[in-house]
Amino acid sequence: MYGKPALGAVVPLAGLTAAPEVAPGLPFAEGLQEAAGAGFLLYCAVAAALISLKFWFRIRNSGGRS
């Protein structure tokens, strides 16, 4: 236990030695990662647009009522 590394520390590193062409599912995982990144950027853009619209309407209507 003390002289040997834990099994969990050794097994994940075994996948790093495989070539990308050999690892099954790697292109699918890369596609999912790209789609997730694009979705996150779209989410951030929509959130920024909604927040800016909220501030624009608040500034625009701030002089209307006293």
Side-chain angles (χ1 to χ4, degrees), residues 5-62:
L7 182 62
V10 176
V11 174
L13 297 177
L16 296 176
T17 60
E21 298 83 20
V22 177
L26 191 61
F28 180 69
E30 288 175 352
L32 282 179
Q33 189 174 14
E34 290 174 4
F40 179 71
L41 288 178
L42 179 64
Y43 172 78
C44 289
V46 168
L50 290 175
I51 290 171
S52 62
L53 277 174
K54 178 182 175 182
F55 286 134
W56 182 72
F57 279 123
R58 186 165 293 196
I59 290 170
R60 186 173 163 236
N61 295 330
S62 64

